[in-house]
Amino acid sequence: MALHRRTVLKGLGASALGLGASALGLGTPFIARAQTPMRIGFLTVKTGPLASGGLQMEQGLTTYLKERNNVLAGRPVQLFTGDSGGAPAVARTKMQEFVENEGIACLIGPLATAEALAIDDYIRNKQIPTLSVAAAEDMTQRMANPWFVRATSSSAQCSYAMGDYAAKALGYKRAAMIADDLAYGHELNAGFQRAFEDAGGKVVQKLWPPLVSPDYGTYIAQLKQNVDVIFIGFAGSNGFKFFKQYKEYGGQTPILGGMTAVDEALLQQMGDEAIGVISTCWYSAQIDTPANKKFVADMNRDYKVDPGFYAAATYTNGAVLEAALQKIGAKIEDKNALEAALRASDKVETARGPVSFDKYGNVIGNVYIRKVEKKGGKLVNTVIKTYPNVSQFWTYDPDEFLKHPVYNRETWPGGKYLEP
């Protein structure tokens, strides 16, 4: 969505009256400064298995900007959108085009872990402040990128809470796990495994279908029957596909969902058989705050859908970016000042709840345990427990945590309870 000058000036007029003295203190006459749009890149996914999430990313960011007449901190926004198709090489090409052809000052996106890793060195070299949706753990851990800020969560961050809840509140002892065979799936499941086993449970099976799996039948057939629960860590629409096929095969073992597996964007397609499914995420459309109620109402009005993980991600990034811009007088081109403001430790109120950031640029915020219920004739993720101020390091000492390798499929956290 590239805004034309006519759209920009319309937004300017709608918001000028609310700027007051703060706009006058920027050192440049308001009208002259406001006519220079902020150039922001937006990297999303519109094709492939992650496209449903990419569409919601665009809807969430569009909603945030529309609510503000496309003006942040007194300056209009010119947004440059790129479709990576979920392919790391394409993500890198689009990022280069944003910087070298469009001269963007910051980036919102990308969606996938592999995409974030593909542009990691480019972000560092070009010093582009980036507010990412991707959960790539090491970009805010062992190889922390000083230009990378994550307001959603690392891959494992929400899974820790689910592992803890599964063992302590639900009393489960034995679990199987299944997730997409890529870094996101490995890291997400590792968080569940560590917290579940720390609380006395045992993960006895792990299955890893490829990201593009038209049929999960062979994997469903392999799932152990003597487990208390199955934890699923799928991205995009894959969680819906797995759940549907699992029910068609007559699966009876309870399912616990990772943060994108039972997403609001797909929930209505799952049908009443999803009622009772418990999942974890840093967001729910049922969060009862004025900021979230407005967000949900605007998404319902414009797109006829509740916002899920991906829409809430870009909407939250918008709030974090706007708060930072207000601190620096909207001088988005001052990269160092913007990055410092983005990483500030004071809390920012967002639709997901209050957020702050650790020294690595990763969010500290609420994680919710949610249960699918039917309200007003539609399925929703009702919040049944809130874990406040959850860090990417959970309850572990950060220095000790970082001595271990990044979570992976084979060696860490390993599989001491795995059964043949």
Side-chain angles (χ1 to χ4, degrees):
M1 177 180 91
L3 302 180
H4 298 295
R5 187 172 183 272
R6 182 176 299 173
T7 305
V8 167
L9 293 178
K10 181 180 178 181
L12 168 61
S15 61
L17 295 177
L19 291 172
S22 63
L24 300 177
L26 297 181
T28 303
F30 169 66
I31 294 297
R33 181 176 181 82
Q35 286 178 341
T36 304
M38 294 185 284
R39 302 171 74 84
I40 298 173
F42 174 48
L43 192 56
T44 187
V45 179
K46 296 187 178 184
T47 51
L50 301 178
S52 61
L55 173 62
Q56 274 238 328
M57 281 176 62
E58 189 166 36
Q59 292 172 347
L61 184 56
T62 299
T63 298
Y64 193 85
L65 293 175
K66 183 178 179 181
E67 289 174 356
R68 288 150 182 82
N69 294 302
N70 297 309
V71 174
L72 297 181
R75 287 181 66 182
V77 173
Q78 188 169 15
L79 194 68
F80 299 90
T81 298
D83 173 19
S84 70
V90 178
R92 187 177 179 91
T93 298
K94 294 293 183 182
M95 184 64 191
Q96 290 173 323
E97 291 175 357
F98 282 159
V99 174
E100 296 164 21
N101 297 342
E102 309 298 350
I104 66 165
C106 77
L107 175 75
I108 295 176
L111 184 156
T113 294
E115 294 176 287
L117 294 172
I119 65 173
D120 181 24
D121 63 327
Y122 191 80
I123 292 171
R124 294 174 192 262
N125 293 337
K126 298 296 183 178
Q127 299 182 340
I128 304 297
T130 298
L131 295 98
S132 184
V133 175
E137 300 258 314
D138 249 6
M139 290 187 72
T140 59
Q141 292 179 9
R142 297 155 199 83
M143 299 164 55
N145 186 325
W147 300 97
F148 184 92
V149 174
R150 179 163 43 223
T152 50
S153 76
S154 67
S155 304
Q157 198 163 349
C158 295
S159 300
Y160 294 124
M162 180 55 87
D164 184 80
Y165 188 82
K168 295 179 180 177
L170 300 177
Y172 293 142
K173 301 297 183 184
R174 291 167 53 83
M177 302 193 307
I178 182 168
D180 297 310
D181 191 8
L182 71 174
Y184 171 74
H186 305 156
E187 294 169 0
L188 185 146
N189 276 18
F192 176 86
Q193 180 183 346
R194 284 197 73 184
F196 185 64
E197 293 183 348
D198 285 348
K202 296 180 180 179
V203 170
V204 299
Q205 185 181 34
K206 301 180 187 182
L207 295 177
W208 308 106
L211 178 63
V212 182
S213 294
D215 187 273
Y216 290 109
T218 57
Y219 295 95
I220 293 170
Q222 294 176 56
L223 285 167
K224 290 184 177 295
Q225 300 299 306
N226 60 344
V227 294
D228 301 318
V229 68
I230 300 167
F231 179 75
I232 63 174
F234 295 104
S237 60
N238 285 351
F240 164 66
K241 288 165 52 181
F242 173 84
F243 182 82
K244 181 180 179 181
Q245 291 178 23
Y246 181 74
K247 290 300 182 180
E248 289 173 349
Y249 277 84
Q252 298 296 317
T253 303
I255 286 176
L256 298 178
M259 59 184 174
T260 52
V262 192
D263 191 63
E264 277 89 348
L266 300 167
L267 198 52
Q268 306 314 314
Q269 302 176 44
M270 298 177 80
D272 287 353
E273 64 268 26
I275 293 174
V277 172
I278 295 173
S279 64
T280 181
C281 192
W282 47 265
Y283 178 75
S284 166
Q286 295 294 296
I287 295 171
D288 190 15
T289 63
N292 190 53
K293 286 181 176 179
K294 177 173 177 52
F295 175 36
V296 173
D298 288 349
M299 284 284 293
N300 286 167
R301 180 196 65 215
D302 291 343
Y303 302 109
K304 307 298 185 288
V305 65
D306 282 347
F309 173 101
Y310 297 100
T314 49
Y315 194 87
T316 298
N317 279 334
V320 171
L321 176 59
E322 184 175 29
L325 289 168
Q326 288 170 345
K327 292 177 184 176
I328 63 171
K331 297 176 182 177
I332 196 171
E333 294 81 10
D334 187 339
K335 297 178 180 180
N336 290 297
L338 176 60
E339 189 63 25
L342 288 171
R343 289 170 172 255
S345 60
D346 51 318
K347 290 191 175 181
V348 178
E349 292 297 329
T350 74
R352 65 163 287 182
V355 300
S356 59
F357 296 87
D358 63 23
K359 67 178 183 179
Y360 302 96
N362 194 76
V363 70
I364 299 171
N366 294 344
V367 170
Y368 305 99
I369 304 297
R370 309 146 350 143
K371 185 176 184 179
V372 178
E373 296 180 346
K374 198 164 192 177
K375 294 182 179 180
K378 69 177 182 180
L379 299 179
V380 298
N381 279 315
T382 298
V383 175
I384 58 176
K385 183 176 176 62
T386 300
Y387 284 81
N389 299 317
V390 176
S391 153
Q392 65 175 329
F393 301 113
W394 184 233
T395 58
Y396 308 117
D397 175 76
D399 292 336
E400 183 63 30
F401 185 101
L402 294 174
K403 291 178 183 177
H404 294 280
V406 67
Y407 290 136
N408 57 72
R409 171 174 168 163
E410 303 295 341
T411 60
W412 180 242
K416 61 182 177 180
Y417 299 116
L418 292 180
E419 299 173 355

